[in-house]
Amino acid sequence: MAKYKIMFVCLGNICRSPMAEFICKDLVKKAGREAEFEIASSAVSSENVYNGVGAPVYKPAQAELKKHGITCEGKRAQVLKETDGEKYDLFLCMDDSNVRRAKRILGGKNEEKCKKLLSYAGEIGDVADPWYTGDFTVAYADILRGVKGLLDSLE
Ligand code: 4NP
């Protein structure tokens, strides 16, 4: 069983948290640490799941990942569930609103597992939502700093 089970969380699970999931998987693979990790991502809203089927990663997010040689093929949006609270060790949220909503979904249990991703880069800020800002390059850079800090903390 993986030593660290981590779930990245954002609003829609089609931009930031899947970017974080696949950036993290890429870094973990390059470090030869795949056996240590189980890595997933999910949404606090059900906006991108229709009749039980999740939307693929938003095209501009896919393109940003591709610039860095990362594919997210096959990823479909899913909504965070209360039962994930027991299954995962950490919920890395992109902004304060994600943290509040994730805690609510987890039903008041496992609240200490919900953190903001950028706190692992020693920052208090949010990963701004490129769905609204249109800036996927800034989102990529923010997420990369957070994920690197996270992996360093889990050595
Ligand atoms: P994300 O961005 O939370 O980074 O995946 C969003 C994507 C879609 C929506 C909101 C945020 N939406 O409302 O559909």
Side-chain angles (χ1 to χ4, degrees):
M1 200 166 74
K3 188 167 159 194
Y4 305 113
K5 294 189 239 29
I6 59 183
M7 172 79 89
F8 294 98
V9 177
C10 67
L11 178 57
N13 196 215
I14 59 168
C15 295
R16 294 167 294 174
S17 64
M19 287 172 79
E21 174 184 344
F22 288 93
I23 289 169
C24 189
K25 283 177 171 167
D26 182 62
L27 289 178
V28 162
K29 187 171 183 191
K30 285 175 177 155
R33 299 178 64 191
E34 279 171 301
E36 290 176 53
F37 289 91
E38 186 174 325
I39 304 164
S41 66
S42 62
V44 291
S45 88
S46 54
E47 204 72 41
N48 297 293
V49 180
Y50 317 94
N51 299 321
V53 181
V57 177
Y58 189 46
K59 285 272 191 250
Q62 288 194 33
E64 185 65 36
L65 289 173
K66 206 170 169 191
K67 279 205 252 170
H68 301 274
I70 300 173
T71 172
C72 56
E73 221 177 295
K75 167 65 186 171
R76 291 290 181 273
Q78 61 174 345
V79 180
L80 179 67
K81 307 186 289 290
E82 182 169 353
T83 50
D84 290 328
E86 295 304 320
K87 183 166 178 207
Y88 290 89
D89 303 311
L90 272 177
F91 297 91
L92 287 318
C93 302
M94 300 298 139
D95 57 40
D96 288 314
S97 166
N98 300 159
V99 172
R100 280 194 300 276
R101 294 179 66 171
K103 286 179 177 175
R104 211 177 303 147
I105 290 170
L106 297 181
K109 298 166 287 180
N110 300 298
E111 289 200 346
E112 70 291 350
K113 295 181 179 180
C114 299
K115 319 252 196 220
K116 273 211 293 189
L117 177 62
L118 277 176
S119 68
Y120 286 88
E123 300 174 29
I124 55 169
D126 294 340
V127 178
D129 195 337
W131 179 260
Y132 300 109
T133 66
D135 199 333
F136 289 82
T137 302
V138 165
Y140 186 95
D142 286 350
I143 291 165
L144 183 62
R145 286 198 310 284
V147 170
K148 280 184 171 167
L150 171 72
L151 292 178
D152 286 348
S153 81
L154 299 177
E155 289 279 24

